[in-house]
Amino acid sequence: MSPSLLSIPSYQATFAVPLHCDSCVSDVSSALNKLKGVELIQASIPSQTVTILSTLPPSLLVSTIQSTGRDAILRGSGASNSAAVSILETPFRRPSPSSSTSSSVVSVQSSSTSDPIADAMASSPVRGLVRMIQLADKLTLLDISLSKVPAGEYAISIRQSGDVSQGRRNLGGIWKRVHESDSEDKQKGGGVEAGDVGSLNIESEGKGQTMVLAHWPVWEVIGRGFMVERLRKEGATDQGAAEEEEEGLALGVIARSAGVWDNDKTVCSCSGKTVWEEREEQRKRGII
């Protein structure tokens, strides 16, 4: 279900944004205030952050800030323990012309082309990003962005398992939500297919975005797999369908992410890199 942006509860999100002066704050605030669904904006030059109260998906807020010529990194959203993220990658790698054909990753033969989407697919396994924010007890916003994928209709689902080590093989079926009181459903493997998220149509430019409201809390999907797969074209041969699966499959594991006030780091304690250095690495990998 793609909800109206004005019909859902508002939430807070904090973004790291390069802010050097009052003019920077004015530019960013003016752009954000043009969006229906933005209720409050708080910008801080000392902390280089912008906190937004809105009903809009984080991807739209990021792109709006970027339209002012500044980058933006989502630092946290929603309350503590109420947000999650999944980076979607293809289990199949298209080697670039200069790469070796020997690899432990499943490879699909390709050659240099003039197709920018095909070239982008060869450069990185990342195909998209999913952000989840719990808005109420059993209401979660899913912000799903795909890039570098072939055009077509894609089915989106949360799977029973989070084991992506063998591609889709160990992910199990679509996640079924069973209430604790439904002991009979548990025994029979029944329940509601809460993991059927919907579908997304990707146009010729290889990008797409959708927002979905799901009626479950975030904690119930932590550790599960997230899968996006291109639907089989009518009349496709088995060989053609297999090729479509290789090009149109992206998987990820759902992991917790920071709440709106949970992440104030500017330098990663593991790598020693600043958030902007990490951001540049993510951009090269195709993470939006």
Side-chain angles (χ1 to χ4, degrees):
M1 174 178 59
S2 297
S4 165
L5 297 177
L6 303 179
S7 64
I8 64 176
S10 56
Y11 71 96
Q12 278 190 319
T14 297
F15 301 85
V17 182
L19 300 171
H20 305 296
C21 60
D22 290 340
S23 180
C24 296
V25 173
S26 177
D27 288 348
V28 171
S29 298
S30 296
L32 290 169
N33 276 321
K34 293 177 182 178
L35 300 175
K36 292 183 178 180
V38 171
E39 300 175 13
L40 181 66
I41 303 167
Q42 294 179 324
S44 170
I45 296 175
S47 66
Q48 299 282 283
T49 58
V50 176
T51 300
I52 305 167
L53 178 67
S54 79
T55 62
L56 306 178
S59 60
L60 177 57
L61 299 175
V62 167
S63 62
T64 300
I65 294 172
Q66 290 175 336
S67 71
T68 70
R70 300 164 181 84
D71 204 351
I73 303 172
L74 179 63
R75 304 297 304 278
S77 55
S80 295
N81 299 317
S82 69
V85 65
S86 181
I87 298 174
L88 304 178
E89 298 187 353
T90 175
F92 303 94
R93 290 299 302 274
R94 286 186 169 275
S96 61
S98 60
S99 66
S100 170
T101 56
S102 60
S103 172
S104 60
V105 184
V106 178
S107 295
V108 181
Q109 294 299 320
S110 68
S111 59
S112 180
T113 74
S114 59
D115 184 348
I117 296 178
D119 291 341
M121 289 171 63
S123 66
S124 169
V126 176
R127 295 293 180 264
L129 181 67
V130 183
R131 297 182 178 98
M132 302 182 185
I133 305 163
Q134 186 172 323
L135 304 176
D137 183 36
K138 294 181 180 178
L139 186 66
T140 296
L141 170 68
L142 280 70
D143 180 17
I144 306 166
S145 299
L146 297 180
S147 63
K148 299 186 297 186
V149 293
E153 189 76 12
Y154 285 74
I156 307 171
S157 62
I158 295 172
R159 316 303 288 190
Q160 292 282 80
S161 167
D163 181 1
V164 297
S165 62
Q166 300 296 319
R168 63 184 297 167
R169 187 179 306 169
N170 296 335
L171 283 176
I174 294 177
W175 167 52
K176 293 183 178 180
R177 188 167 188 260
V178 181
H179 293 290
E180 290 297 322
S181 59
D182 295 338
S183 57
E184 185 176 347
D185 266 351
K186 279 187 175 181
Q187 294 174 359
K188 295 181 179 180
V192 178
E193 285 193 339
D196 184 0
V197 176
S199 63
L200 173 61
N201 186 56
I202 301 297
E203 302 295 342
S204 58
E205 66 270 16
K207 296 180 180 181
Q209 192 275 338
T210 188
M211 183 178 79
V212 178
L213 276 184
H215 295 280
W216 35 257
V218 161
W219 67 264
E220 289 194 13
V221 299
I222 299 298
R224 299 190 186 276
F226 199 97
M227 185 168 82
V228 177
E229 59 178 334
R230 187 163 59 164
L231 297 177
R232 189 172 188 172
K233 292 180 180 178
E234 186 176 351
T237 63
D238 289 341
Q239 180 180 355
E243 291 174 352
E244 284 186 7
E245 178 180 344
E246 291 170 352
E247 294 184 344
L249 179 66
L251 312 170
V253 179
I254 301 170
R256 289 195 182 278
S257 60
V260 67
W261 303 119
D262 292 344
N263 181 14
D264 59 358
K265 74 173 184 178
T266 57
V267 177
C268 177
S269 58
C270 300
S271 66
K273 297 177 180 178
T274 68
V275 293
W276 298 110
E277 289 171 333
E278 289 185 332
R279 169 63 168 164
E280 185 58 29
E281 289 184 353
Q282 292 173 350
R283 191 190 302 279
K284 290 178 180 178
R285 293 178 58 202
I287 301 176
I288 302 171

